[in-house]
Amino acid sequence: MRRAAVAGGRRPGRGLGVTAVVLLLAGAVLVTVGLVVGRGGHQASEVGSGSMDPTYRQGDRIVTEEVDGDDIRRGDVVLSSIPERVPEGLALQRVVALGGDRVAHRPGDDALMLNGRPLDEPYVRGGEPGDGMTSFDVTVPEGRMFLLGDNRGNSRDSRYFLSEQSGTVAVGAVRARVLDDWTVPVLLVAGGFAGVVLFLVGGGLGVASLVVGRRKAVPAPDWAAMPPPPVR
């Protein structure tokens, strides 16, 4: 006796199975991309002092990314490991000069001088480029940087360590750079979450397709075995 597998010749649950595979692959891709890109070290932390006020106030939440010393630029706000200055935790300060730059300031000056030109610093507290007392004139050695806080009246930065390599810090001390744009980390989190959801839904549909596929196919009528209709 012949039996039809399924009306139209299609295996039960085939559509669910195809959808499950697509969702599983999409979920795996999103999660993998999030993990790989996220290895760039995006982290959130809390500002622990007022040295960068008003740009970042004590208690503010910031997002940082791990960077190599070669990627540091003037104007970057960085977290650096300087245990001789900050025994516990990391120092949050701004890079105002890099290797080869000359940075100088005297009390009463209206601006820091960077390579002989006034440095525009709209971010400093009260528009004051210095603390009113400290003078310096430093040529930064290669591979090092000169760091200042935006709150020049309340920041333990390069100005107060001039006797130690002119107050400069090795670029290798940088652990992370502060991000002003949170788009990338937010997208990474959202993409990873979406990937997990797609993976779970795909797995559920895959199980459903197996259950449906195991059901017995409905037999088609065997017309040859049926008695002929009565003749009248």
Side-chain angles (χ1 to χ4, degrees), residues 17-178:
V18 171
T19 303
V21 171
V22 171
L23 292 179
L24 286 170
L25 289 175
V29 168
L30 286 174
V31 171
T32 301
V33 169
L35 290 175
V36 171
V37 179
R39 291 182 67 181
H42 294 90
Q43 294 184 351
S45 57
E46 183 175 306
V47 177
S49 75
S51 65
M52 284 298 294
D53 184 38
T55 308
Y56 303 109
R57 293 181 169 84
Q58 186 170 5
D60 282 354
R61 299 289 293 179
I62 58 175
V63 173
T64 62
E65 62 173 347
E66 291 182 7
V67 291
D68 187 85
D70 295 334
D71 296 327
I72 299 303
R73 304 180 296 263
R74 297 183 197 91
D76 283 346
V77 177
V78 296
L79 285 170
S80 306
S81 176
I82 322 174
E84 63 275 17
R85 301 183 188 179
V86 182
E88 298 180 0
L90 301 175
L92 178 68
Q93 294 169 346
R94 187 180 298 273
V95 180
V96 297
L98 291 168
D101 290 334
R102 181 182 179 184
V103 59
H105 183 261
R106 294 176 303 176
D109 288 351
D110 294 331
L112 294 183
M113 300 299 291
L114 181 65
N115 299 324
R117 297 182 178 182
L119 179 62
D120 183 26
E121 297 186 286
Y123 40 76
V124 297
R125 181 181 176 87
E128 295 293 335
D131 60 6
M133 297 179 291
T134 308
S135 296
F136 55 88
D137 189 339
V138 172
T139 297
V140 182
E142 292 297 330
R144 301 186 72 82
M145 55 189 176
F146 199 83
L147 301 173
L148 295 177
D150 288 355
N151 185 359
R152 299 289 158 81
N154 183 28
S155 178
R156 189 173 173 79
D157 50 39
S158 290
R159 295 170 295 170
Y160 304 108
F161 298 89
L162 296 175
S163 62
E164 303 171 10
Q165 300 195 62
S166 300
T168 62
V169 176
V171 294
V174 173
R175 295 293 176 263
R177 173 170 51 206
V178 179

Side-chain angles (χ1 to χ4, degrees), residues 1-4 218-226:
M1 181 178 294
R2 295 176 300 168
R3 295 177 180 270
V218 178
D222 189 348
W223 300 106
M226 288 187 177

